[in-house]
Amino acid sequence: MGDLKWYALQTYSGHENKVQKNLEKLVQQRKLEEKISQVRIPTMEVAEMKNGKKKVTKKKLMPGYVLVEMDMDEDLRFMIQSLPSVSTFVGSKDGGPEPLSVDEVKNLFAETGEFQSEEPVTPRLLFKVGDSLKIIDGPFANFTGVVDEIFPDKGRLRVKVEIFGRSTPVELDYLQVKTEP
């Protein structure tokens, strides 16, 4: 194994997956496994509410970039930069592209949850008891309520909602509510 470092490859926006596939094909066809070890598109899982259901989608952290762990040389650089939808390596200097620092790589993959950090990630508490909220999803959408209890480990909260003149507790997901301005 040579000197593997991570490089950021700039691609046409929206073509990241295509570039990743083409690069992986190139590695297979040219037997470049020793030179190119990984091709990644940094993504982050984003949860959102759609029709009362929590949907987790992958969102690109850096649209227009693909990360390549490789042992860089002129031939390889030329080969990769001549692939369709590829623009250039980031940080190209006279001596060729600059690799990403270990910290940059750690930060990128920490965002995506791929580098495990020691501290468990606790959801940031966006609400506190007594806050007035607007319900934005589910059967109670457009109602307002007051936070009664918070269950941070579940990502849920109990909100008292005024229904037919009576205060009724409703349990909701964090994503179903937003704080009233």
Side-chain angles (χ1 to χ4, degrees):
M1 272 300 200
D3 190 14
L4 290 175
K5 289 190 166 70
W6 284 97
Y7 293 87
L9 183 62
Q10 199 169 4
T11 68
Y12 299 154
S13 197
H15 291 234
E16 300 88 355
N17 297 24
K18 185 170 148 187
V19 169
Q20 183 181 29
K21 285 202 174 54
N22 287 338
L23 258 168
E24 287 166 350
K25 233 182 262 166
L26 181 78
V27 169
Q28 285 174 338
Q29 290 167 346
R30 303 272 180 112
K31 306 265 180 278
L32 295 169
E33 291 84 352
E34 293 285 307
K35 293 291 228 170
I36 301 175
S37 67
Q38 296 186 63
V39 181
R40 301 279 260 300
I41 298 169
T43 54
M44 188 165 102
E45 293 199 335
V46 178
E48 47 190 14
M49 276 300 197
K50 283 252 166 68
N51 308 324
K53 292 196 174 37
K54 192 184 216 168
K55 203 171 144 243
V56 176
T57 53
K58 282 192 182 295
K59 200 172 178 178
K60 288 187 181 74
L61 215 51
M62 301 165 39
Y65 294 93
V66 172
L67 298 182
V68 187
E69 189 181 31
M70 60 187 283
D71 182 6
M72 178 68 76
D73 66 35
E74 271 310 300
D75 295 343
L76 215 47
R77 177 177 155 193
F78 182 75
M79 242 188 282
I80 292 172
Q81 284 184 227
S82 48
L83 287 172
S85 303
V86 169
S87 167
T88 182
F89 278 99
V90 174
S92 292
K93 291 202 170 66
D94 309 333
E98 275 293 296
L100 298 171
S101 73
V102 173
D103 284 345
E104 287 172 314
V105 174
K106 262 204 189 111
N107 287 341
L108 275 170
F109 291 127
E111 283 290 317
T112 66
E114 294 187 34
F115 259 49
Q116 295 309 313
S117 62
E118 284 69 56
E119 308 99 60
V121 179
T122 49
R124 283 186 292 264
L125 284 182
L126 309 166
F127 316 104
K128 48 188 192 304
V129 173
D131 276 359
S132 194
L133 298 177
K134 185 175 175 67
I135 301 171
I136 52 174
D137 182 82
F140 301 100
N142 298 323
F143 277 87
T144 49
V146 175
V147 179
D148 188 38
E149 198 175 342
I150 302 170
F151 312 104
D153 50 328
K154 289 190 199 149
R156 297 179 71 79
L157 37 88
R158 186 175 313 128
V159 177
K160 288 217 164 143
V161 183
E162 195 77 19
I163 304 171
F164 307 125
R166 292 180 44 207
S167 182
T168 309
V170 180
E171 198 174 301
L172 299 163
D173 193 282
Y174 283 175
L175 300 170
Q176 290 178 287
V177 294
K178 71 173 193 198
T179 44
E180 286 280 84

